[in-house]
Amino acid sequence: MAAHQSLRTHTCGELRATHVGERVTLAGWVHRRRDHGHLTFFDLRDRYGITQVVTSADEAPATHEAAAEARNEWVIQVSGAVRRRPEGTANRELPTGEVEVAVDEVSVLNESKVPPFYINEEQPGLEEALRLQYRYLDLRRPPMRDRMLLRARLSSAIRRELEAEDFVEIETPLLIRSTPEGARDFVVPSRLQAGQFYALPQSPQQLKQLLMVAGYDRYYQMAHCMRDEDSRKDRGPEFTQVDIEMSFVREEDVMAAVEAMVTAVTRQVVPERQISQTPFPRLRYEEALARFGSDKPDLRFGMELMELSDALRVVDFRVFADALAAGGAVFAIRAQGCGGYSRKQLDELTDLAKRQGAAGLVHLSVESDGSLRGPAAKFLEASSAAVLAATGAEPGDLLLIVADADRATAATALGQLRLEMGERLGLRDPAVLAYVWVYRFPMFKWDADLNRWDATHNPFSAPVWEEADRMEADPGGIHAQQYDLALNGWELGGGSIRIHRRDLLERAFALMGHTLEGMRDQFGALLDALEYGAPPHGGIAIGVERWVALLANQENIREVTAFPKTQSGSDLMLGAPSPLDQQQLAELHLRVDLGG
RNA sequence: GGACCCGUGGUGUAGCGGCCCAACAUGCCAGCCUGUCACGCUGGAGAUCGCCGGUUCGAAUCCGGUCGGGUCCGCCA
């Protein structure tokens, strides 16, 4: 093992029966102490594991007495002989559990105050703010350590796989130019140029495209990105992405390369997990929305959406009739065996549907005689057979139905209910990883507020080539060569084939209301570069925190981030952000105005 | 910008108008204990209930505000 240094001969995860008889020196933290008077056991911990060391009043009285001072989290160094534990006292829970070190020499390398929370046991309810304030102690806890090591193995495997396929890692700058597109920028004031600001990258998008123009036809980078938008459990102000770009490729090529890397990496890093399907399923956006109510569906379970628009077209029920008359849709999911849900449970589901933009939720339970029961049942009597036929619902089942004048709204609201029911029914198997491609997104969406078309994803994404001619004639009807990679209901990454011809890019931007001057000002370098032999190219970016979180079965990316920010963007350990003093402000040509 | 939830010894919880200057577990300290591994036993110290204000004879408990944390909507090309 490489971790041998002059203060230790072995790590705390290393000793086995084969070491019995060797004299060793270990250094680490006191994980736990069991004091039996004339005999004291210490569990000594480092990042490699735990080893039991013993001091004895009979064998080494002075050492025994000296060691008795040590408390939890003190850093100590011990020397002694490795010996097999007495018959019947081996600990099968520990890899090192067959042996122990009979300590004859101990030295305290550093004492520790009593920590503000337990390092040596799990503590589910522990206030996260406290963990963040003492993150260096939190990171010492074995579950956090394991997640950090998992993340390191993931990064390493990604690099190994990509480099084996001739990808080259190229770093791009962190101080770049602000552009109003996309998320809000974090900005950095320039000292040398008064009144001017850099922006921190939301992603190295333009730079990696410029690298393609430069001929580095397979680029990757573990790229740090920053977006000044409100946090969620799956996104924070700064994050890391595996940024990839390739030249001379079609969608197929990028997806194949990424899929090969993702599959190989997953198998190396979490061999115990099951990838539900390879090659990864591919769903067109429209299909993902219609079947799962999401553009990042969780494919670990079925419970697909069923469209009832036709079955219910004749029903005299305002909620459905109005939605359908307005050109909308009615969707349902069938929750098997949930017909007995209580009023409270149904209210919770209704609240969820409303939060997701639905006007309401119609719930029907199927009685043992096949009749439907629920607040809206009396309106549906004439159609109950059609509903049962369309949904396949059986006695004891619960049907959840959402109608909306907007098809996507109905589908996404029900998609959220599907996830909730999947959770409640235990269908989201934590052992399974269900990667899925979602592709062929609409290229533009109408922005009612700005009264213009806007890119659904990335403004540099290319239209499906055969559709490019219709861009101006039918902006809402054409699709982008855009593909997202989803995993267990989370968006892991997204990418596209880019526009590599200046005229086409200008047309796309013009459609989004950009003037030629505005484009030159903001994207001048890229536009110019496209005129110097830009090859066809495309790529993807994969969110590292989300990926690790899913591989570690964590709900929250803070659990896989060494030093995360709070929801309001604070670093509770460092106390950031903080004010600047007057001199710093003056150098940066800034004046702070807190008046509001 | 908005909605909701949380904030009681070091930590996690209980208490939710007077029986509480606050209970339980764990941790901490001390003593005892030669085979433990969440060691055990005995004893002890430790919180005026995030903060400010109000209601009340009386507030951890009710109300308002505020600070911190979380979840969500908006936002996130």
Side-chain angles (χ1 to χ4, degrees), chain A residues 441-444 463 467-468 470-472 474-480 511:
Chain A
F441 287 79
M443 176 123 170
F444 300 105
E467 296 178 350
R470 312 198 325 256
M471 198 155 78
E472 287 80 5
D474 182 20
I478 68 167
H479 298 86
L511 199 56

Side-chain angles (χ1 to χ4, degrees), chain A residues 170-176 199-201 203-204 207 221 224:
Chain A
I170 299 177
E171 293 183 68
T172 53
L174 290 177
L175 297 174
I176 61 173
L200 302 177
S203 82
L207 292 156
Q221 179 182 194
H224 283 86

Side-chain angles (χ1 to χ4, degrees), chain A residues 59-75:
Chain A
E59 296 168 29
T63 297
H64 180 72
E65 205 165 308
E69 299 299 312
R71 292 294 182 270
N72 285 350
E73 301 311 314
W74 286 31
V75 187

Side-chain angles (χ1 to χ4, degrees), chain A residues 273-321:
Chain A
R273 301 286 287 279
Q274 180 199 339
I275 299 178
S276 73
Q277 207 177 325
T278 53
F280 303 161
R282 298 187 183 186
L283 297 174
R284 286 172 169 255
Y285 166 76
E286 295 294 347
E287 186 186 357
L289 194 67
R291 289 176 58 191
F292 302 100
S294 171
D295 62 358
K296 47 185 184 207
D298 186 344
L299 258 49
R300 284 176 297 178
F301 67 104
M303 207 191 289
E304 294 189 19
L305 275 57
M306 297 169 286
E307 178 152 13
L308 297 184
S309 302
D310 291 332
L312 296 175
R313 205 165 292 279
V314 296
V315 167
D316 186 24
F317 181 41
R318 280 287 297 273
V319 173
F320 296 160

Side-chain angles (χ1 to χ4, degrees), chain A residues 183-224:
Chain A
R184 197 176 291 113
D185 282 324
F186 276 103
V187 297
V188 177
S190 165
R191 173 180 58 85
L192 295 173
Q193 301 186 37
Q196 306 287 316
F197 294 83
Y198 300 98
L200 302 177
Q202 299 176 24
S203 82
Q205 181 62 35
Q206 291 184 62
L207 292 156
K208 70 174 174 177
Q209 290 192 240
L210 292 165
L211 288 170
M212 293 303 106
V213 180
Y216 299 90
D217 63 355
R218 298 186 141 215
Y219 144 93
Y220 87 99
Q221 179 182 194
M222 294 296 197
H224 283 86

